[in-house]
Amino acid sequence: MSGKVGINIGRAAIYVILVIIALLCIMPLYIMIVNATRSTEQINKGISIFPSTFLATNWNILDKGGSLNLLRALGNSVFISVTTTTITVYFSLLCAYAIEIYNFALKKFTLGLVLFLIMIPGQVSIIGFYRLVVNFGWLDSYFPLILPAIAGAGAVFFFKQYLESCVILELIHAARIDGCSELGIFHKIMMPIAAPGAFTMAIFAFVGSWNNFFTPFLILNTQEKFTLPMVIQVIVNGNTFFREMGALYLGLAISIAPVIIVYIALSKYIISGIAMGALKE
């Protein structure tokens, strides 16, 4: 009897600790959302857990902030992030499928090259990347922000490890016997099988593209093409918005809203995707 009581007390302690950790993680986000509804004077008075009535006022300050257009920047970020995520998931899965399924002369070299590229920091090649963008005439365009996603070494390695645990060669052989093309096998068989891993990588790719500030800051010059992180940075450093803390918090809340939505929509695939990629038959 005492053993059961001890187990229950231990479980209760674990639950209490987990609740405390969850609150510590959620509270900064909640305070930011609450501050987005408060005025600067209210924010300066201290922390509050109750929303206020200045949400519309803060939005008007952001919406009429000179040449800045928050909704246009939001649309730019959504377009870049969705396109980048789609390209990353599709072509990385296609490349990993080829490495895993086919036997060719440079197979080991290709996989080694992927591993080598993962270990190279992006900052090391940024000068050469910028010169390449200038030579192609892609400066102040979205091409340098989207097209490099085709060659995502980290995504290729993730899918390679994932496919090792879920590829069923008998299905592929049966599809070939039935006359299905190689791309047909990839689209109709492999993509449904690899869906959990694809959704997991989609979350990582979307968040990485959405939060990317350095590359757009380096490439984009026209304000109409600015992404949301760039606009938020202008708001933070701009003299016009420095005293409007409520508007600043609202801009930050808007900037993280799509990330939260994507995570909630696809989070159920994270555990199954990572666990499946970590197991081997």
Side-chain angles (χ1 to χ4, degrees), residues 67-100:
S67 58
L68 296 174
N69 190 321
L70 203 65
L71 290 179
R72 181 172 57 217
L74 179 63
N76 295 340
S77 290
V78 169
F79 170 74
I80 294 173
S81 299
V82 171
T83 307
T84 301
T85 300
T86 304
I87 291 176
T88 299
V89 171
Y90 179 81
F91 286 100
S92 298
L93 181 57
L94 184 63
C95 181
Y97 171 76
I99 295 175
E100 176 65 23

Side-chain angles (χ1 to χ4, degrees), residues 163-236:
L163 291 179
E164 287 183 0
S165 63
C166 66
V167 166
I168 304 175
L169 295 177
E170 289 76 10
L171 286 177
I172 298 175
H173 296 329
R176 288 171 179 168
I177 293 173
D178 290 339
C180 188
S181 65
E182 294 299 319
L183 281 179
I185 294 173
F186 174 74
H187 292 145
K188 298 177 182 179
I189 297 178
M190 282 313 309
M191 290 189 70
I193 292 177
F199 283 117
T200 303
M201 179 51 62
I203 295 175
F204 298 150
F206 183 88
V207 173
S209 177
W210 184 269
N211 293 331
N212 186 14
F213 170 79
F214 180 70
T215 307
F217 177 77
L218 188 69
I219 300 299
L220 302 178
N221 300 317
T222 307
Q223 281 195 347
E224 287 76 13
K225 298 179 181 179
F226 279 7
T227 60
L228 195 58
M230 296 178 67
V231 171
I232 297 300
Q233 183 67 19
V234 173
I235 293 175
V236 172

Side-chain angles (χ1 to χ4, degrees), residues 32 62 232 236 247-257:
M32 181 187 66
L62 285 177
I232 297 300
V236 172
L248 174 60
Y249 277 109
L250 178 59
L252 295 175
I254 293 174
S255 68
I256 67 172

Side-chain angles (χ1 to χ4, degrees), residues 12-83:
I14 293 174
Y15 290 147
V16 170
I17 294 173
L18 291 177
V19 169
I20 293 175
I21 294 175
L23 290 176
L24 290 176
C25 295
I26 294 174
M27 279 305 296
L29 178 63
Y30 178 75
I31 294 299
M32 181 187 66
I33 295 175
V34 170
N35 285 342
T37 67
R38 304 172 69 199
S39 65
T40 302
E41 292 76 11
Q42 291 174 337
I43 294 174
N44 290 332
K45 289 180 180 179
I47 297 175
S48 174
I49 61 174
F50 300 106
S52 187
T53 58
F54 288 87
L55 180 62
T57 302
N58 293 334
W59 170 254
N60 289 332
I61 294 173
L62 285 177
D63 191 40
K64 298 176 181 178
S67 58
L68 296 174
N69 190 321
L70 203 65
L71 290 179
R72 181 172 57 217
L74 179 63
N76 295 340
S77 290
V78 169
F79 170 74
I80 294 173
S81 299
V82 171
T83 307

